[in-house]
Amino acid sequence: MANVAVIGAQWGDEGKGKVVDWLASRADIVVRFQGGHNAGHTLVVGNQTYKLSLLPSGVVRGKLGVIGNGVVLDPDALLGEISRVRGQGLDVGPHNLRIAENVPLILPLHPAIDKAREEARGAAKIGTTGRGIGPAYEDKVARRAIRLCDLAEPETLSAKLDELLLHHNTLLKGLGAETFEKQDLLDRLLALAPKLLPYAEAVWERLDEARHKNSRVLFEGAQAVMLDVDHGTYPFVTSSNTVAGNAAAGSGIGPHGVGTVLGIAKAYTTRVGSGPFPTELHDEIGKRLGERGREFGTVTGRPRRCGWFDACLVRQAVKVGGVQGLALTKLDVLDGLEELKICTGYRIDGEVVKRLPAAAAAQAKAEPIYETLEGWSQSTMGARSWAELPATAIKYVKRIEELVEAPVTLLSTSPERDDTILVSDPFAG
């Protein structure tokens, strides 16, 4: 079975949607294995643009979509997204979308406490989306989460709500925020049960059957390695493990089933929200990258911070993320720049280092060490072969390969799905 896992190799928003869509057309099953509706993929198919947050991208291609147990699921967000894409002509239902019966649910109290805590932090806020992702993962780890399967057992649901509200109402009251009533939440969840339970199943069994049938499975990551709760720029990270190793735990397969790991990276660097960003540009070039790259969050609409390609950071993501090949996106955004810079290391308190340290103060002090390369004046937009690229653009890509210690196996030159240069097939194993 030749499976592929796709993860971000920077801070997210690398253009995973297009790459996943391209790969999904050749897969049988597409699996979301972590995160929630705090991340999104934009897919451009013909004259339609689909903005997905929870739905696996494969549904756009008529493939079976699976939401794994590693996701935290907001029922209202999911049902709203299903309704929206149905309005765009997509057929989505229990026949082509399956959800792990043990997936934790995001309840209305989770975004409430998320926002209250961010407000209390003031200038020290983390920059969460306020959608309750972190608090939902906290409940999962603390063993008090409401899971999808609980909706089929009203008595279990009632008992678990008691414990959940004991914790969250205490916090909300302490933060000066409005508390929640048990009966309101119970009634809401019982009303959702008939809408959600038809999607529920033991998805690990389905994936095991897929393994025996030699079906192709695509594991679709959200966010990126440098937002991983363990390996990212902590505490300015997401609340889940975004590395490919979590595709197994977050969907219910063994580690052998993850397959080839493809990391997605932009030809430059962006970040949304707070946190260190050594190569960030506050000048006209940074503004130009943002405008040409249309750098606004799919889910939040927030403008992204922009900067030069950080090879030191991506090399780190390649190592801890298990990346075997890179898909480099948005090369065309660099068209017309006379010179380009690549970060090859950092200077911290006078010392040169080749990795971003784990300590927050050291990360904040990291000054980029740049290597300068010649730019190109020709357009790379829509190129579908190496022969269509300027020699200096090829040199830029090859230098990235050397610095990050991973081959570029796929090069994207526009948002269009077919504007892609394939070097090697990830599904070939």
Side-chain angles (χ1 to χ4, degrees):
M1 179 174 63
N3 295 341
V4 176
V6 174
I7 61 173
Q10 294 162 314
W11 278 298
D13 309 306
E14 299 96 347
K16 289 189 293 295
K18 172 192 165 172
V19 177
V20 167
D21 177 46
W22 186 83
L23 290 168
S25 66
R26 303 172 60 237
D28 300 300
I29 302 174
V30 181
V31 182
R32 273 288 307 273
F33 62 88
Q34 50 77 221
H37 64 306
N38 57 333
H41 292 164
T42 300
L43 282 69
V44 180
V45 183
N47 60 357
Q48 283 276 22
T49 298
Y50 302 98
K51 294 183 181 294
L52 307 181
S53 296
L54 281 167
L55 290 175
S57 298
V59 299
V60 173
R61 294 290 167 190
K63 305 304 175 82
L64 177 67
V66 169
I67 295 177
N69 57 277
V71 173
V72 284
L73 183 72
D74 184 313
D76 293 321
L78 175 68
L79 294 172
E81 190 170 324
I82 290 173
S83 176
R84 187 172 69 250
V85 298
R86 280 176 177 167
Q88 291 182 272
L90 288 185
D91 178 25
V92 178
H95 63 289
N96 64 351
L97 175 65
R98 308 307 294 162
I99 305 174
E101 60 185 358
N102 52 338
V103 72
L105 301 181
I106 297 177
L107 307 187
L109 53 82
H110 290 125
I113 201 160
D114 199 353
K115 293 171 185 174
R117 289 195 304 206
E118 276 287 84
E119 188 175 336
R121 289 184 181 111
K125 65 177 60 176
I126 294 172
T128 76
T129 59
R131 284 165 165 75
I133 311 298
Y137 273 117
E138 290 171 34
D139 283 345
K140 174 182 176 178
V141 175
R143 295 165 291 189
R144 57 174 172 258
I146 304 294
R147 304 192 297 177
L148 180 55
C149 55
D150 296 330
L151 301 188
E153 301 179 357
E155 290 184 5
T156 301
L157 193 59
S158 177
K160 292 182 83 168
L161 278 173
D162 286 331
E163 183 179 358
L164 200 65
L165 288 172
L166 174 65
H167 175 81
H168 285 283
N169 276 344
T170 302
L171 284 176
L172 287 166
K173 188 175 180 180
L175 290 165
E178 189 176 346
T179 58
F180 286 80
E181 295 293 330
K182 175 185 174 180
Q183 196 60 49
D184 290 342
L185 286 174
L186 183 59
D187 292 344
R188 182 175 187 146
L189 289 169
L190 290 176
L192 284 168
K195 299 177 183 178
L196 290 175
L197 287 174
Y199 293 92
E201 71 173 28
V203 300
W204 63 267
E205 286 186 325
R206 183 177 290 271
L207 294 175
D208 187 58
E209 290 171 7
R211 180 174 67 86
H212 287 291
K213 293 178 181 176
N214 288 320
S215 299
R216 286 179 167 181
V217 180
L218 177 63
F219 296 96
E220 177 183 2
Q223 289 98 17
V225 173
M226 299 317 295
L227 290 175
D228 185 280
V229 70
D230 285 304
H231 301 289
T233 47
Y234 191 91
F236 302 100
V237 293
T238 194
S239 301
S240 61
N241 287 112
T242 59
V243 293
N246 194 37
S251 58
I253 62 161
H256 62 277
V258 174
T260 301
V261 180
L262 186 66
I264 317 298
K266 279 177 184 163
Y268 50 101
T269 310
T270 63
R271 176 166 201 170
V272 170
S274 307
F277 186 172
T279 66
E280 184 173 9
L281 295 170
H282 300 281
D283 57 12
E284 285 303 309
I285 293 178
K287 183 179 177 182
R288 171 177 171 159
L289 293 175
E291 290 173 350
R292 291 200 62 183
R294 299 177 184 176
E295 298 297 351
F296 298 93
T298 298
V299 170
T300 63
R302 292 184 290 181
R304 297 172 186 144
R305 300 154 64 190
C306 298
W308 293 120
F309 186 87
D310 191 336
C312 196
L313 191 86
V314 175
R315 176 182 174 274
Q316 193 164 328
V318 164
K319 303 298 182 184
V320 302
V323 173
Q324 294 159 282
L326 275 186
L328 196 66
T329 66
K330 294 197 171 185
L331 183 69
D332 55 295
V333 174
L334 301 179
D335 292 352
L337 291 173
E338 290 186 9
E339 65 176 29
L340 306 169
K341 293 184 179 181
I342 298 177
C343 174
T344 60
Y346 311 110
R347 187 170 282 104
I348 302 174
D349 292 330
E351 181 185 355
V352 174
V353 296
K354 295 291 186 178
R355 61 179 177 82
L356 194 61
Q363 289 177 355
K365 292 179 185 176
E367 299 176 8
I369 298 171
Y370 286 121
E371 179 177 309
T372 302
L373 286 82
E374 183 183 352
W376 54 89
S377 56
Q378 307 96 310
S379 172
T380 62
M381 170 74 80
R384 298 185 182 182
S385 71
W386 288 107
E388 297 177 55
L389 294 178
T392 46
I394 295 173
K395 185 177 179 181
Y396 180 75
V397 174
K398 293 298 181 184
R399 185 56 180 147
I400 284 175
E401 288 183 322
E402 293 171 357
L403 291 170
V404 305
E405 299 178 28
V408 172
T409 58
L410 191 150
L411 191 64
S412 170
T413 56
S414 93
E416 292 297 326
R417 176 171 163 263
D418 293 329
D419 290 342
T420 302
I421 300 172
L422 178 65
V423 181
S424 63
D425 184 357
F427 273 118

